[in-house]
Amino acid sequence: MNNTPKDLQHYETNYRRLFETTRDGILILDGETLKITDANPSVIELSKYSREELLGNEIREIGLFKDYEKCRIMFEELWDKDYVFCDDFTIQTKTGKTFEIEISANLYQENDHRYIQCNLRDITKRKAGREKIRQNSALLAQIAGKAARLGGWAIQLPERILTWSDENCAIHDLPPGYKPTLEEGISYYPEEYRAEVIGYVDACAQYGTPYDFELPKYTAKGRLIWVRSIAEAVRDDEGQIIGLQGAFQDITQQKLAEIEREKLIIQLQDALAEVKTLREFLPICSYCKKVRDDQNYWLQIENYISVHTSTQFSHGICPDCYESNLAPQIEELKQKMSDEDTVG
């Protein structure tokens, strides 16, 4: 379907709106001369060059990119692929200040002429945050003594790149310097706990919710251990969450001690119950069935047992006693009531 002039005008209006308002800097270059043909307000704010100083000049002429050789290589790759991306560029503003940026460039054609659109994003704070995570991880590695069985870790966001200290690798029976993925790290937990762990990580990554939990875990060699995992969010200067940092502590010995302590408690409870159990010779009267206690008093057997054990009694009558004692009395009562009814 052919676009009408009205449609084209609508598309142009939308494009200009995005071009003018996006937070990413955008440069439009002539594909043949690499001279700047257009620049949006974000580039002007970032570079400190005016629009007039940018338009009509080649990037090399204004010195925007510090490493022009890297820039030249990027453009050569662009001719072959029509699109390139690089996340380690440095630009220098008119005032001499430098910024770390990531740049994506795509080649497009308009009216038989080639143009290049370069999108520039300031990642200076993000890189500073990554360095902060790296330094914190190194600090955790230093304070994590082997005696404490404590290992540091960090997660870089949004890439979700996991880093473990050497002590953490040792806890998991892995060689020093091993770099597991986040998915691999979670897979060491028994399957029934993995969703719970993912929930803790996601809540910390999205909302900054710290966590502290104890769960069983398998090492790379299949050895079952218990670990305590603690974590907190790492934020940049603007308060944005850029990573997580925390530590694992091997608490297997403590858990084994707790299990042994629970066993001892159960054994003590059983021993106390045994103390309340009758295990002695009892003098009992052959006629009234009373029992003589240690003070030479004769007690009803249920009273004696209640004093010396935790047993409680309820009273009833067995079939033999019913037939020999109650049944005749009940029959006598029935007969008496029948006779009274007849007389009446």
Side-chain angles (χ1 to χ4, degrees), residues 223-234:
R223 185 169 55 90
L224 183 63
I225 60 174
W226 275 83
V227 297
R228 178 187 179 191
S229 180
I230 57 176
E232 63 180 8
V234 179

Side-chain angles (χ1 to χ4, degrees), residues 233-299:
V234 179
R235 300 176 184 270
D236 61 19
D237 294 339
E238 296 180 348
Q240 298 298 314
I241 297 175
I242 57 174
L244 278 64
Q245 64 182 14
F248 283 126
Q249 185 176 19
D250 184 349
I251 58 171
T252 307
Q253 295 303 318
Q254 294 95 308
K255 278 295 179 180
L256 292 176
E258 287 180 13
I259 293 171
E260 287 301 316
R261 186 165 61 250
E262 291 296 327
K263 287 182 179 179
L264 286 175
I265 291 174
I266 294 173
Q267 291 172 1
L268 286 172
Q269 290 173 339
D270 290 343
L272 288 173
E274 288 293 328
V275 169
K276 300 289 284 186
T277 302
L278 290 174
R279 294 186 182 275
E280 57 184 292
F281 180 78
L282 296 178
I284 186 168
C285 177
S286 301
Y287 292 95
C288 67
K289 306 304 181 185
K290 289 183 178 179
V291 176
R292 189 180 67 201
D293 65 10
D294 295 336
Q295 284 75 39
N296 211 28
Y297 290 103
W298 290 89
L299 305 173

Side-chain angles (χ1 to χ4, degrees), residues 13-294:
T13 300
N14 285 341
Y15 173 77
R16 292 306 303 183
R17 183 181 296 115
L18 291 173
F19 183 83
E20 298 291 336
T21 60
T22 182
R23 296 184 63 183
D24 290 345
I26 300 178
L27 287 174
I28 305 298
L29 311 180
D30 185 295
E32 306 301 331
T33 65
L34 297 184
K35 291 185 177 182
I36 300 171
T37 62
D38 204 352
N40 75 341
S42 292
V43 164
I44 295 170
E45 180 181 356
L46 180 65
S47 69
K48 306 306 179 185
Y49 287 96
S50 67
R51 182 180 175 83
E52 291 72 21
E53 289 173 315
L54 292 174
L55 298 187
N57 288 312
E58 189 182 345
I59 291 177
R60 178 169 50 184
E61 294 174 346
I62 58 174
L64 186 59
F65 290 93
K66 287 195 67 178
D67 190 344
Y68 186 77
E69 180 62 20
K70 182 185 292 187
C71 188
R72 183 189 63 78
I73 294 173
M74 181 188 72
F75 286 128
E76 287 182 355
E77 183 179 352
L78 179 64
W79 305 139
D80 296 331
K81 301 180 179 179
D82 292 341
Y83 175 82
V84 292
F85 173 82
C86 186
D87 64 352
D88 61 348
F89 261 95
T90 302
I91 63 171
Q92 182 170 293
T93 69
K94 184 179 179 181
T95 60
K97 188 175 182 179
T98 59
F99 289 95
E100 301 295 323
I101 68 165
E102 63 181 23
I103 180 170
S104 59
N106 64 283
L107 191 64
Y108 68 95
Q109 193 153 326
E110 184 179 312
N111 297 328
D112 298 327
H113 194 84
R114 293 192 302 179
Y115 293 91
I116 301 170
Q117 177 173 322
C118 298
N119 291 60
L120 285 63
R121 176 170 296 178
D122 182 3
I123 58 171
T124 306
K125 291 180 179 178
R126 186 197 302 175
K127 284 202 169 185
R130 290 177 180 174
E131 177 61 18
K132 183 178 179 181
I133 291 177
R134 189 195 65 77
Q135 292 175 355
N136 288 343
S137 298
L139 178 61
L140 282 172
Q142 292 174 4
I143 66 174
K146 291 185 178 181
R149 296 290 286 165
L150 184 68
W153 59 264
I155 298 175
Q156 177 181 303
L157 297 175
E159 298 87 351
R160 297 172 72 87
I161 297 174
L162 177 63
T163 303
W164 277 2
S165 69
D166 288 347
E167 182 60 29
N168 206 3
C169 292
I171 290 173
H172 293 80
D173 289 335
L174 290 166
Y178 185 80
K179 299 183 182 301
T181 63
L182 180 57
E183 291 73 18
E184 180 183 353
I186 292 175
S187 72
Y188 289 121
Y189 288 99
E191 187 173 358
E192 61 268 28
Y193 297 114
R194 291 173 193 168
E196 179 183 352
V197 174
I198 291 172
Y200 289 135
V201 173
D202 287 346
C204 192
Q206 294 180 33
Y207 310 112
T209 307
Y211 62 76
D212 184 343
F213 64 80
E214 297 177 2
L215 284 175
K217 198 174 189 182
Y218 289 102
T219 70
K221 294 182 178 180
R223 185 169 55 90
L224 183 63
I225 60 174
W226 275 83
V227 297
R228 178 187 179 191
S229 180
I230 57 176
E232 63 180 8
V234 179
R235 300 176 184 270
D236 61 19
D237 294 339
E238 296 180 348
Q240 298 298 314
I241 297 175
I242 57 174
L244 278 64
Q245 64 182 14
F248 283 126
Q249 185 176 19
D250 184 349
I251 58 171
T252 307
Q253 295 303 318
Q254 294 95 308
K255 278 295 179 180
L256 292 176
E258 287 180 13
I259 293 171
E260 287 301 316
R261 186 165 61 250
E262 291 296 327
K263 287 182 179 179
L264 286 175
I265 291 174
I266 294 173
Q267 291 172 1
L268 286 172
Q269 290 173 339
D270 290 343
L272 288 173
E274 288 293 328
V275 169
K276 300 289 284 186
T277 302
L278 290 174
R279 294 186 182 275
E280 57 184 292
F281 180 78
L282 296 178
I284 186 168
C285 177
S286 301
Y287 292 95
C288 67
K289 306 304 181 185
K290 289 183 178 179
V291 176
R292 189 180 67 201
D293 65 10
D294 295 336

